[in-house]
Amino acid sequence: MDLMPIILSLKIAAVSTVFTFFIGMYAAWKTANIMWGKGILDAIFTLPMVLPPTVTGFFLLIFFGKSSTIGKFLAEIDFDMVFSWRGAVLASVVVTFPLMYRTTRSAFEQLNPNLIDAGRTLGLSEIRIFWKIVFPNCLPGILGATILSFSRALGEFGATIMIAGNIPGKTQTASLAVYTAMQAGNRALAYQWVLVLMLISFAAMLLMNMVNSRQDLLIRKGGRG
């Protein structure tokens, strides 16, 4: 059993989660604090969640393909997105962004606004308020969103195969390895990859439950205090 697909899957999921973490948090914080256009922005940011992954991959291929303006520019600087692991990262970021955005935004909106007002009264800048007050108090929700994003990126298939292809040793992730094995009639290998993905996903869900349980414990202790 060649381990390259799972190594590549973990690499792509880790890199894409880093991007999704910061982009999703920023979008969630800005959207949660605007007065006008919130519904439109929310619809745009959530759209990749409801679109079929192959449609998302199709648009990425159109925007970043070598015949597009962006694709030609990237080709000139030797930074191709199509049929590369970078394309797989891009696909994972776009597909997992709504999960990070919506879950984090929910955590932000549940935060007691008096805490933010107190920070402003003390003269803290908006950046310091976010990192000193908002982020620590919303950390369980942010961690849960991050774990969900990582798990989703690990199993991404549709958008990835559209823009990155299914090139063994280069863009073939574990999910694509399952597809390839089934196409070749090698069910034993497909079962092995399915088992690996299930174990990793199960571990991620256990970790998320641990984070949520710890938060619930802290809330109960705070209530008794």
Side-chain angles (χ1 to χ4, degrees):
M1 181 179 180
D2 182 14
L3 295 180
M4 181 56 68
I6 192 61
I7 293 173
L8 187 60
S9 293
L10 292 171
K11 175 184 175 181
I12 291 171
V15 174
S16 65
T17 301
V18 172
F19 284 103
T20 306
F21 177 82
F22 290 103
I23 299 172
M25 252 198 330
Y26 179 80
W29 178 241
K30 288 299 182 180
T31 306
N33 289 280
I34 62 174
M35 297 297 297
W36 305 101
K38 182 179 292 188
I40 296 175
L41 279 178
D42 185 72
I44 294 173
F45 291 155
T46 310
L47 190 59
M49 181 184 292
V50 295
L51 281 177
T54 50
V55 174
T56 301
F58 170 79
F59 282 118
L60 291 176
L61 192 59
I62 294 298
F63 291 143
F64 293 93
K66 293 184 178 180
S67 59
S68 68
T69 302
I70 298 176
K72 290 177 181 177
F73 171 75
L74 293 176
E76 288 178 359
I77 62 174
D78 197 25
F79 195 84
D80 292 337
M81 298 295 290
V82 179
F83 300 128
S84 71
W85 75 275
R86 299 187 194 98
V89 170
L90 176 64
S92 295
V93 169
V94 173
V95 170
T96 60
F97 169 81
L99 288 174
M100 187 72 196
Y101 160 74
R102 291 196 69 86
T103 307
T104 306
R105 178 185 161 187
S106 177
F108 289 158
E109 291 177 340
Q110 292 176 21
L111 179 66
N112 187 346
N114 292 329
L115 295 175
I116 298 176
D117 293 337
R120 289 171 178 159
T121 302
L122 293 173
L124 297 178
S125 65
E126 293 299 316
I127 294 177
R128 287 182 64 84
I129 287 174
F130 180 83
W131 290 110
K132 295 292 185 180
I133 298 175
V134 177
F135 185 80
N137 284 280
C138 298
L139 185 58
I142 294 172
L143 287 178
T146 304
I147 294 170
L148 281 175
S149 298
F150 178 84
S151 301
R152 179 65 182 85
L154 190 67
E156 165 53 31
F157 176 85
T160 300
I161 199 170
M162 288 292 290
I163 189 171
N166 185 15
I167 307 171
K170 186 177 180 181
T171 65
Q172 187 182 80
T173 61
S175 296
L176 295 175
V178 174
Y179 172 79
T180 302
M182 286 300 295
Q183 287 291 99
N186 192 346
R187 290 198 173 190
L189 182 59
Y191 287 144
Q192 292 178 26
W193 284 121
V194 168
L195 179 61
V196 170
L197 289 171
M198 287 182 62
L199 289 175
I200 296 176
S201 299
F202 183 70
M205 292 301 99
L206 285 179
L207 180 60
M208 187 175 68
N209 289 337
M210 289 173 59
V211 171
N212 292 335
S213 297
R214 181 175 177 80
Q215 174 66 5
D216 292 340
L217 180 61
L218 291 174
I219 292 175
R220 288 195 296 268
K221 287 183 177 180
R224 289 197 297 268

